[in-house]
């Protein structure tokens, strides 16, 4: 079961095995390593150069914290060791008003339930602390593992959508997931009983 212990927006969000913290510029080598793995980036448009990763870290991550309080992309840490296993996010789909949940994990941490575990915590945080009426997610049509994790977190698959923003346009249709706060909270309150 996920617990909420918020210090600063998503910072400090805890699940059973994981915690979140803000990224800083000092995390550039870590993020560069994550974005350079061809398997990690297989369904995300291919590996990113160090320059692309720096632009992502500075613009899409660090500047976003102040522009959109409570939302962001956070480093995901193992609570028992402090090791960073990748990141989780609760932010806008680029060019859209929709708030999405998502993740990117180092390959050595795949298959251990971490994507779902922290996504559940972020959904609860988004619905209860931020008062978001709905949260969505997108995934490459061939990324079945990610789609399973999103379903396990309580989102529902609602067909496919394409997006004009350059970050997504080349992919064509993407698997579209969504859930209203009311539906998700009713279902997950029942699951906790």
């Amino acid at each position: 079961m996920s617990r909420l212990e918020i210090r600063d927006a998503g910072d400090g969000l805890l699940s059973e095995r994981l915690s979140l913290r803000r990224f800083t510029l000092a995390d550039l080598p870590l993020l560069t390593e994550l974005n350079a793995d061809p398997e990690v980036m297989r369904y995300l448009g291919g590996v990113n150069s160090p320059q692309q990763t720096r632009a992502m870290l500075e613009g899409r991550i660090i500047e976003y914290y102040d522009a959109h309080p409570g939302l962001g992309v956070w480093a995901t840490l193992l609570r028992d060791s402090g090791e960073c296993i990748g990141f989780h996010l609760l932010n806008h789909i680029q060019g859209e008003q929709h708030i999405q949940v998502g993740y990117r994990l180092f390959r050595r941490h795949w298959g251990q339930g971490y994507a779902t575990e922290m996504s559940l915590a972020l959904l609860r945080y988004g619905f209860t602390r931020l008062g978001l009426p709905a949260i969505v997610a997108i995934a490459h049509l061939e990324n079945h593992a990610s789609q399973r994790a999103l379903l396990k977190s309580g989102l529902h698959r609602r067909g496919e959508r394409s997006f004009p923003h350059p970050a997504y346009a080349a992919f064509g249709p993407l698997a579209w997931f969504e859930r209203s706060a009311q539906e998700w909270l009713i279902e997950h309150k029942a699951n906790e009983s």
Side-chain angles (χ1 to χ4, degrees), residues 32-54:
T32 299
E33 179 188 350
L34 181 65
N35 289 347
D37 185 321
E39 282 301 305
V40 169
M41 301 300 289
R42 180 177 180 191
Y43 299 115
L44 300 169
V47 299
N48 288 353
S49 69
Q51 295 79 13
Q52 289 171 310
T53 298
R54 177 178 278 281

